[in-house]
Amino acid sequence: MPNAYVTLSALKGTAALNFTGTAYDARLLTLVEAVSRQVDAYCGRHFYPLTETRNFDGPSPSGTRLPLPDFVALTAVTEDTNSDGTFETTWTTSDYVAWPYNAAPTSEWGRGHMALLVNAKSNGSQDAWLTGQQMYQVAGTWGWRAFVVDTGERGSGTLSATGTALTLTASSTLSVGETVRVENEYLYVIGTGTAGTATGTGIVTVQRAVNGSTGTAHSTGTVQSLVFPLEVREACLIQVARLLKRRESGFATQIVFLETGAVATFSSELDPDVKAMLARYRRVAV
């Protein structure tokens, strides 16, 4: 998955590495993406929205709660009632409620839902989640949250369903590694700085239909940016900076400073500050 939790402009800025130029952008982007997936693995969850259909076992014993990975919104819940491999029974939206109730996964302070509960206040046809292997098929958008902000950029002209050059009405402020949304499609910025054909315009190169979205044609429209949690972004900055610093020593596990005689030892795990920042997001297996 191409989502990077920190953009190259943030990484190379004076508050982080103070890098200039674009000679190492491809390598830096690969490293940022790798660290972002390392963060996912450590936390046991991902922080980008991903639209797809997944199968789940029913709870044992049967009950009123179906635990799920983090999800933003669901579009379909179906049940394999007779265990024949076909999901023939559809749960309507009045049959269940998402929990936590006030998760608000599209807001800046929100988080994803973690379970479906049988709706005890409805007169629906379902009263329990049944035990069974791959008993339920759930389609929706998964992840910690899907919070976007208006970048102020606007599309200019028409972008075809497969085109990779997104023309903007103003000089681009987008950065490599940024995930943006145009209408219902997510696009991943992999190149910037191309001059437009008209004064004041800019063109960025994008990877289309990311995060399980569908590539469609777009005309002039709002360009929104996907914003990840602050601690996740800062954790990625710290870990990437640490790896870049270690490269100066050939990734040695220890560095001796001749001036002071001090010895710096690097562990093979995430930086302690990174772990501290991610502590509240970590899902621990039980």
Side-chain angles (χ1 to χ4, degrees), residues 215-240:
T216 57
H218 304 286
S219 57
T220 302
T222 301
V223 179
Q224 299 173 308
S225 180
L226 188 59
V227 181
F228 303 106
L230 176 62
E231 298 96 327
V232 173
R233 285 179 278 151
E234 290 299 315
C236 283
L237 280 175
I238 292 171
Q239 189 67 18
V240 172

Side-chain angles (χ1 to χ4, degrees), residues 40-117:
D40 290 344
Y42 180 76
C43 292
R45 53 171 37 106
H46 59 85
F47 298 92
Y48 53 87
L50 175 62
T51 299
E52 64 180 11
T53 299
R54 300 177 177 180
N55 293 353
F56 298 96
D57 295 343
S60 182
S62 299
T64 59
R65 178 189 180 95
L66 179 67
L68 294 173
D70 304 326
F71 66 91
V72 176
L74 302 181
T75 55
V77 179
T78 52
E79 178 184 296
D80 181 6
T81 307
N82 55 10
S83 299
D84 64 351
T86 301
F87 299 92
E88 60 277 308
T89 301
T90 299
W91 284 57
T92 68
T93 54
S94 62
D95 289 330
Y96 60 84
V97 291
W99 183 91
Y101 302 124
N102 303 306
T106 59
S107 67
E108 184 174 11
W109 54 266
R111 56 144 302 147
H113 301 286
M114 299 174 64
L116 292 179
L117 308 181

Side-chain angles (χ1 to χ4, degrees), residues 175-245:
S175 175
V176 171
E178 191 166 359
T179 302
V180 298
R181 188 173 72 185
V182 180
E183 296 180 312
N184 292 321
E185 181 186 356
Y186 284 101
L187 305 89
Y188 187 55
V189 180
I190 57 176
T192 62
T194 305
T197 56
T199 302
T201 65
I203 299 176
V204 294
T205 304
V206 293
Q207 182 176 334
R208 300 295 303 275
V210 300
N211 295 12
S213 61
T214 301
T216 57
H218 304 286
S219 57
T220 302
T222 301
V223 179
Q224 299 173 308
S225 180
L226 188 59
V227 181
F228 303 106
L230 176 62
E231 298 96 327
V232 173
R233 285 179 278 151
E234 290 299 315
C236 283
L237 280 175
I238 292 171
Q239 189 67 18
V240 172
R242 168 177 163 162
L243 291 173
L244 288 172
K245 186 64 177 177

